Amino acid sequence: MERYASDTERDDTPLLQRAEEERVQRAPACGSSRYGLAVLSSFGFFVVYSLRVNLSVAMVDMLNNTQSDTNHSSSVCPAHANPPRPKHNHTAASVYNWDSETQGWILGSFFYGYILTQILGGYLAGRWGPKWLMGLGILGTVFFTLLTPVAADLGAKYLIAVRVLEGIGEGVTFPAMYTMWASWAPPLERSRLLTISYIGAQLGTVISLPLSGQICFYLDWTYVFYIFGAIGLVWFVLWTFLAFDSPNTHPRISEQERLYITNSLKNELSTSAGYIPWRAILTSGPLWAIVVAHFSYNWTFYTLLTLLPTYMKEVLGFSIQQNGMLSALPYIGCVVLAVLSGQLADHLRETCLVRTVTVRKVFSIVAVFLVAVGYTGCDYTLAVTFLTLSSALGGVSASGFNINHLDIAPSYAGILLGITNTFATIPGMVGPVIARTLTQQNTIEEWQTVFYIAAGINLFGATVYTLFGRGDVQPWAVHTSYNHGD
């Protein structure tokens, strides 16, 4: 029976030897299939998040606020000057009389479907392959996105149902992609590849928020869903012909790269047919540390993601055209720091030989900073600056707990991501509802409470992860039988 040392003894013990072997055998990155997959999957996550967040901006224009659209009299702070909107879009689309509670349920409904397919997605990806699971999941979301205007006209309940179905489709995407990366990402390139891949989610937010605002301003809110739905169809065609489950099934990969990837994973990855150590997984302390960190980070992320456009309009008085751009600023910073942190994380592990767990924890600690935006009052510049800094620092989590699933159990990364993302979806379900319930009058004091709650949950999550997180492959994730890439 294989002997397993303690975390202190085992954590990255073979890192120096692995680094030397991979430097000799490493396949070039430029033009490689693994980096091509990173770019293609990044486009996929761009679509995923575009379809997820566009409703946040469109919602501002879907509400029957004729008076406030004219002079912004309903905002807490003085309104900002804005050019008159084109006349043709005032009657081009319907508007609705939804109260703040209904808005909260609509914005959170996506996550009620999203939570249902997290663990199932990880299981199906490991059993049937991740390519088609991810592709069809996003295609389903695209289909229901295109139906959004019709559902909204039928009533809030129909819109909620469509958003739930969108969530079901998107719920399999992250577990499926984690499963794919378990077969594609060499350990010492893991941070780089996954950062490139998942940066698409941030780019989807960064681009879709301002673009949705412009679409609403010059056309009407219905085109938000039609345009992003069409982009999703383009991605699906590319994914169908260019993505493959593993290096061994890719018809155009070079032999040098195929051997490099499979050899780098031979000591980590095991795919014993039908074997999933559920008891060991569910009792793993390092996994539950990731669960807590993921939950706490998502509380802030989803609260801002769904309600920042509302805050920009109802409190700071920004119009629909200004709203999308300003709401995107925090995520622009997030993208920049996520890319830089991914490069720095791999550099620290490979060149400086810093222990994996140390790198993961440091980057997650940095991500907990959440400034008290509610205390900026009507200082617009300071409010936007603090929001940007807060979300930007959260971008380094891409090299923190987000990648830690692959560190502790690459064979079951998709299932682990499904478990952690199931718990991490709960903030998306309840966060917008709680926040809108607390901010029915949209006063600065009400929003301060929302930011206080988010900051407290973030601090708790960072503390737990720092104490109990690990960076080495866990004993239950490795088996003596090895059959990779079939």
Side-chain angles (χ1 to χ4, degrees), residues 88-235:
H88 68 81
N89 70 350
H90 287 296
T91 58
S94 302
V95 292
Y96 311 99
N97 295 312
W98 296 327
D99 58 25
S100 59
E101 183 178 357
T102 302
Q103 295 171 42
W105 283 108
I106 292 172
L107 291 171
S109 58
F110 171 92
F111 300 98
Y112 284 87
Y114 192 66
I115 197 173
L116 296 177
T117 49
Q118 293 296 316
I119 298 177
L120 179 63
Y123 173 76
L124 293 177
R127 188 172 181 84
W128 294 336
K131 171 185 173 177
W132 288 111
L133 184 64
M134 180 168 176
L136 294 175
I138 296 180
L139 181 63
T141 306
V142 168
F143 173 75
F144 289 111
T145 295
L146 294 171
L147 291 181
T148 298
V150 175
D153 275 342
L154 292 174
K157 292 182 179 180
Y158 290 91
L159 179 56
I160 288 173
V162 165
R163 292 292 290 179
V164 169
L165 292 171
E166 288 184 39
I168 289 174
E170 281 198 16
V172 303
T173 55
F174 277 94
M177 200 62 222
Y178 265 72
T179 300
M180 185 172 281
W181 278 126
S183 297
W184 274 97
L188 293 178
E189 294 186 26
R190 204 167 272 161
S191 296
R192 293 187 185 98
L193 288 168
L194 269 75
T195 298
I196 294 171
S197 180
Y198 297 120
I199 204 67
Q202 301 294 346
L203 288 174
T205 306
V206 166
I207 295 175
S208 66
L209 286 174
L211 184 56
S212 295
Q214 296 298 322
I215 292 171
C216 287
F217 185 82
Y218 289 106
L219 299 172
D220 64 59
W221 63 263
T222 62
Y223 285 91
V224 170
F225 304 102
Y226 297 145
I227 291 174
F228 285 110
I231 294 173
L233 292 175
V234 172
W235 172 84

Side-chain angles (χ1 to χ4, degrees), residues 311-394:
Y311 179 79
M312 290 290 185
K313 178 186 179 183
E314 301 296 343
V315 176
L316 299 182
F318 290 108
S319 69
I320 187 67
Q321 188 181 32
Q322 300 161 324
N323 200 322
M325 179 61 70
L326 293 172
S327 295
L329 282 178
Y331 302 99
I332 294 176
C334 198
V335 168
V336 173
L337 283 193
V339 172
L340 294 178
S341 66
Q343 298 298 317
L344 180 57
D346 278 344
H347 173 76
L348 291 174
R349 296 171 62 222
E350 179 180 0
T351 305
C352 303
L353 301 180
V354 177
R355 296 166 69 227
T356 298
V357 66
T358 303
V359 173
R360 301 296 185 228
K361 286 180 178 180
V362 168
F363 282 126
S364 291
I365 291 173
V366 175
V368 306
F369 290 102
L370 180 67
V371 293
V373 180
Y375 287 94
T376 60
C378 290
D379 188 330
Y380 313 112
T381 302
L382 195 59
V384 174
T385 299
F386 281 179
L387 282 167
T388 301
L389 289 174
S390 175
S391 295
L393 291 174

